Amino acid sequence: MKSTSCACEELQRKFRLRNRVWPGGYHRDGGEDAGAVPARLVGCSREGAVVNEERSVSYARIDWSTAKEAVLSPLHNLLAPPALPCLTCGKMISGTAKGYPEICSSCYAAIPWITSLKCKNCGRPVGCPDCTREGAPARNFVLNRSAVSYNATMREWLAQYKFRGNEALGPVLARMTGFAAQRMLRELSEKNGGTGDRFRFDAVTFVPVSEDRLLERGFNQARTLALEAASILGSPLLPLLERVRHTEKQSFKSRWQRLRDLQGIFCPAEDAWDQLKPALDRPGAKTFPWSVFSLHDSMVAETSRARPIRLLLIDDVYTTGSTVDTCAGLLRELCESEGRSGEIYCLTWARS
């Protein structure tokens, strides 16, 4: 027989098992073997009194999605950069396009990239009355290409950058111009029947602004765009032109007013040729259709002088083309004054 103390302990153990609250809000109903795992569970009458007396937790009961979020969310918030406002619309950036982290995905989607051309001369994506006008004088530049169409959205971007002190937009516009420079180089290389290495600009220059405008803004927007284009193309950036007098804004003037105002306001820089000559003599600037090792030094020099000087002129907006055409004419005169011919190409951020 069991001792009295042992019988009492056995009764106490069964009582504890009968009143145990099982995990999940259930307790055991009586009538079953107290030493076995409960086979039938009924709802616990004591709400919120669930006590888990299991010594180990079943991994099947863990919500791993919640656990992962609980662990990674604080780490993500610590390492991820804080959300910044879009430079153009001011809204917080939730998604960006590759290469343009300063603007939101919606603003990037609104960019009117020029992907097809109607006019091969000025790069306009629609019909061009300037280039098809009867009796129009010949252009001083070979062709112009632009990154985007100058619509209301792009006009607002440029106004923020030039007139409202949003200088942080400068690198964004510059990268857009650099993208257009890459496309332009591929196009010219294909026309020459070679790869990107076959066509090369000897130098990149830009339309200058007056001293008054430079003091007012603190920068020349065309030079900012030209810096990126020169870096993309691997050509030196040279300030070959100067502006000798200040004029009023050209954006609201007619074509003939622009032509009249542009007379005599630009000129080549005093040291323009001194800047340009080292660029022509740099390695890789002299390209020939045959091997230079088979030529005499005098023949090499003669062939080099016969090759046209290729310059890329940068401006922000192409409207009538009068500004870039005037500057291109001066660059051609600069080359001709040294007994060389000049091929002037134009690249603008926007085409109206």
Side-chain angles (χ1 to χ4, degrees):
M1 287 182 63
K2 291 183 179 179
S3 64
T4 307
S5 61
C6 292
C8 292
E9 290 177 359
E10 182 67 17
L11 290 174
Q12 291 175 1
R13 186 181 69 84
K14 289 185 177 182
F15 180 79
R16 287 198 302 270
L17 289 175
R18 186 182 304 112
N19 293 280
R20 174 178 295 178
V21 180
W22 295 91
Y26 296 91
H27 76 282
R28 177 176 169 153
D29 192 13
E32 296 185 357
D33 184 12
V37 177
R40 182 164 52 90
L41 302 177
V42 297
C44 177
S45 59
R46 294 187 298 167
E47 250 180 86
V50 177
V51 179
N52 189 352
E53 293 188 8
E54 294 183 355
R55 294 187 178 182
S56 62
V57 180
S58 174
Y59 286 97
R61 297 182 182 180
I62 299 177
D63 188 351
W64 290 106
S65 62
T66 306
K68 180 180 178 181
E69 183 180 355
V71 173
L72 296 183
S73 292
L75 185 62
H76 175 77
N77 294 335
L78 178 64
L79 299 179
L84 298 175
C86 175
L87 289 180
T88 57
C89 68
K91 297 179 181 178
M92 301 305 292
I93 297 176
S94 58
T96 61
K98 183 178 179 181
Y100 297 89
E102 306 94 334
I103 60 177
C104 65
S105 56
S106 298
C107 289
Y108 179 82
I111 297 176
W113 297 102
I114 295 178
T115 56
S116 61
L117 304 176
K118 290 293 184 180
C119 182
K120 300 295 184 180
N121 296 325
C122 69
R124 199 173 189 182
V126 295
C128 179
D130 295 331
C131 296
T132 57
R133 183 183 294 108
E134 293 185 5
R139 300 284 193 185
N140 289 307
F141 56 87
V142 179
L143 55 82
N144 172 78
R145 292 295 179 263
S146 304
V148 298
S149 297
Y150 195 50
N151 61 6
T153 301
M154 297 297 99
R155 186 179 296 108
E156 174 63 22
W157 286 23
L158 188 62
Q160 288 186 31
Y161 173 51
K162 289 174 63 173
F163 308 125
R164 301 176 194 166
N166 193 357
E167 294 185 32
L169 266 176
V172 177
L173 307 187
R175 286 197 297 274
M176 296 166 70
T177 306
F179 176 71
Q182 287 180 316
R183 293 189 307 181
M184 182 180 189
L185 185 62
R186 287 196 299 267
E187 177 187 350
L188 295 175
S189 298
E190 292 173 359
K191 287 183 178 180
N192 283 269
T195 61
D197 295 331
R198 295 292 299 276
F199 192 94
R200 190 185 188 96
F201 290 107
D202 294 301
V204 177
T205 189
F206 51 90
V207 175
V209 297
S210 65
E211 291 293 333
D212 293 343
R213 196 71 72 200
L214 189 60
L215 291 174
E216 175 186 343
R217 297 175 188 164
F219 60 89
N220 179 358
Q221 70 281 354
R223 184 180 183 277
T224 302
L225 305 178
L227 277 170
E228 180 71 13
S231 176
I232 292 292
L233 300 172
S235 302
L237 178 63
L238 305 176
L240 300 178
L241 299 173
E242 294 179 351
R243 193 168 188 137
V244 295
R245 64 182 176 87
H246 176 71
T247 58
E248 297 300 324
K249 296 177 183 178
Q250 302 290 310
S251 55
F252 298 106
K253 294 183 180 180
S254 66
R255 173 182 175 84
W256 302 113
Q257 288 175 328
R258 289 168 179 262
L259 293 173
R260 181 194 61 196
D261 292 347
L262 289 173
Q263 294 179 2
I265 70 170
F266 298 110
C267 71
E270 292 184 3
D271 60 343
W273 183 253
D274 294 335
Q275 296 181 61
L276 189 56
K277 191 175 185 305
L280 302 177
D281 296 335
R282 66 191 174 95
K286 301 173 182 178
T287 56
F288 308 99
W290 54 80
S291 173
V292 298
F293 299 104
S294 63
L295 301 176
H296 189 271
D297 289 345
S298 60
M299 297 176 63
V300 172
E302 184 64 27
T303 307
S304 177
R305 286 192 295 269
R307 182 182 63 85
I309 300 174
R310 291 169 173 169
L311 301 177
L312 180 63
L313 177 66
I314 307 290
D315 200 9
D316 53 357
V317 180
Y318 185 113
T319 304
T320 63
S322 53
T323 300
V324 292
D325 188 60
T326 300
C327 293
L330 293 173
L331 293 173
R332 288 184 58 184
E333 291 177 5
L334 172 65
C335 298
E336 292 169 358
S337 66
E338 300 295 331
R340 303 284 298 273
S341 61
E343 285 184 4
I344 315 302
Y345 298 81
C346 300
L347 178 66
T348 55
W349 169 68
R351 176 66 172 96
S352 66

